[in-house]
Amino acid sequence: MGKAMTANGFQIGKPSSLPADELSRELLRLLAADPRRNASELARDLGVSAPTVRDRVRRLEEAGVIRGYRLDVDPAALGLPVAAWVRLRPGPGQMSRITELAERTPEVSECHRISGEDCFLIKVHVAELAALEGVLDRFLVHGQTTSSLIVSTPVPPRPLLP
Amino acid sequence: MGKAMTANGFQIGKPSSLPADELSRELLRLLAADPRRNASELARDLGVSAPTVRDRVRRLEEAGVIRGYRLDVDPAALGLPVAAWVRLRPGPGQMSRITELAERTPEVSECHRISGEDCFLIKVHVAELAALEGVLDRFLVHGQTTSSLIVSTPVPPRPLLP
DNA sequence: CATGAAACTGGCGTGAT
DNA sequence: ATCACGCCAGTTTCATG
């Protein structure tokens, strides 16, 4: 059950060899452009049958290449137009506290453990600037914070399929 | 053509009033859990008809509440197991250069303009640690960089629907 | 390739403004 | 009277074995 290769012979995690079977790669590219396209349509574009496409997708899912499908909702439409990246430097023995707090804080949409002087990077969404204070206060109990408001997002999250 | 309200009376960007019609909110919650569920199934769970679900989804898309649907692919499976957050402090007059460079650099999966001492935060994916050097070099032409390797992601990107 | 299910479309009823 | 919203029933298309 190695992670380097799937049951179908896809080579993954090996940059020097072909990173994935060519058909799967093209399939992933099409799905990245629109994850809701149905199998028949994809089959036409790829020059294979629809069942082949469905099998490929299922295998890519089972192999963990496709981790999932996400709905991208505008936070502003949910009443949370202000976003910030916050770096956290936990006090001694506060590491696990931080991850637990991030996990159960609804304003936190992601949390990364990083190297460097700060140990965590979290993304926070609030209704107005003043509401950031309350969130920061909760984390300040366990360490220092450095906040950066997100002014714009010139490159929104995009697929890594060049 | 204001942004505060859609043609259908959905109130958006107004935290104090209900952020969206209750049916839409529940629909968004179900879609966030699994964006690929079909309309018929959603209709059963919501107690409405399938065409109603489709209409709601279409309207939420047109209103920009649903920005899109994303495929979540494991970068490691594409041969890019190493990820880092890099803060960028551009030199004088280099702001637009940075966004353009981020846009056309395939290793960059997202780029945010932020407040604070650094002006940008970008996410970079590479095959091995050594490959980060090449990417940094390209940005160092336009300013200073501060890199943090992503060691783990305790809270992966998640929906903001408490 | 056949069958059952789901997606789309146009038209109608209802309730609020 | 109008408009927004949801439902129904037609046909076409797709998924699944």
Side-chain angles (χ1 to χ4, degrees), chain A:
Chain A
M1 298 288 210
K3 270 186 62 181
M5 189 171 296
T6 76
N8 324 304
F10 299 149
Q11 293 170 9
I12 57 183
K14 298 283 188 59
S16 51
S17 47
L18 36 153
D21 176 67
E22 197 48 45
L23 176 59
S24 293
R25 202 172 173 82
E26 199 53 41
L27 175 56
L28 285 174
R29 202 188 316 276
L30 292 174
L31 276 179
D34 180 6
R36 291 188 317 163
R37 288 185 66 188
N38 60 34
S40 317
E41 212 178 336
L42 293 166
R44 273 192 289 275
D45 285 9
L46 292 167
V48 297
S49 76
T52 299
V53 169
R54 292 191 310 105
D55 282 3
R56 280 288 167 132
V57 171
R58 189 177 43 75
R59 279 186 237 146
L60 288 168
E61 288 170 350
E62 286 169 358
V65 176
I66 294 178
R67 283 195 294 211
Y69 305 82
R70 309 269 171 260
L71 182 71
D72 184 3
V73 176
D74 181 7
L78 299 174
L80 302 170
V82 178
W85 287 103
V86 179
R87 304 202 303 276
L88 302 172
R89 191 181 314 195
Q94 299 295 303
M95 295 284 249
S96 58
R97 306 273 187 203
I98 297 263
T99 59
E100 288 160 18
L101 181 54
E103 172 66 46
R104 69 168 184 268
T105 302
E107 291 89 348
V108 173
S109 69
E110 52 191 294
C111 172
H112 305 268
R113 177 95 156 75
I114 57 176
S115 67
E117 297 196 353
D118 301 294
C119 289
F120 292 98
L121 181 66
I122 64 175
K123 192 176 188 183
V124 177
H125 300 261
V126 288
E128 51 189 345
L129 189 48
L132 189 57
E133 187 178 358
V135 178
L136 293 178
D137 284 347
R138 272 178 275 162
F139 282 94
L140 279 168
V141 176
H142 305 104
Q144 296 177 0
T145 68
T146 308
S147 303
S148 298
L149 291 173
I150 299 176
V151 177
S152 68
T153 299
V155 181
R158 65 181 179 186
L160 291 165
L161 296 164

Side-chain angles (χ1 to χ4, degrees), chain B residues 13-24:
Chain B
K14 298 282 189 59
S16 51
S17 48
L18 34 154
D21 178 64
E22 197 48 46
L23 177 59
S24 294

Side-chain angles (χ1 to χ4, degrees), chain B residues 26-148:
Chain B
E26 199 53 41
L27 175 56
L28 285 174
R29 203 188 315 275
L30 291 173
L31 277 178
D34 180 4
R36 291 189 314 162
R37 289 186 65 188
N38 61 38
S40 314
E41 211 178 338
L42 293 167
R44 275 191 289 274
D45 285 11
L46 293 168
V48 296
S49 75
T52 296
V53 170
R54 278 190 284 273
D55 279 3
R56 281 305 249 254
V57 171
R58 187 177 41 75
R59 276 182 245 146
L60 287 168
E61 289 170 350
E62 287 170 357
V65 176
I66 294 179
R67 283 194 295 212
Y69 304 83
R70 310 272 170 256
L71 182 70
D72 182 4
V73 176
D74 182 9
L78 299 173
L80 302 169
V82 178
W85 286 103
V86 180
R87 304 201 306 271
L88 302 171
R89 190 180 315 195
Q94 299 294 301
M95 295 283 250
S96 58
R97 305 273 187 207
I98 297 261
T99 60
E100 288 160 18
L101 181 55
E103 173 66 45
R104 67 169 186 268
T105 302
E107 290 90 348
V108 172
S109 68
E110 52 190 295
C111 171
H112 305 268
R113 178 96 156 75
I114 57 176
S115 66
E117 296 195 353
D118 302 294
C119 288
F120 293 98
L121 180 66
I122 64 175
K123 192 176 188 182
V124 177
H125 300 260
V126 288
E128 50 189 347
L129 189 48
L132 189 57
E133 187 178 358
V135 178
L136 292 178
D137 285 348
R138 272 179 274 161
F139 282 94
L140 278 167
V141 175
H142 305 105
Q144 297 178 1
T145 69
T146 307
S147 302
S148 298

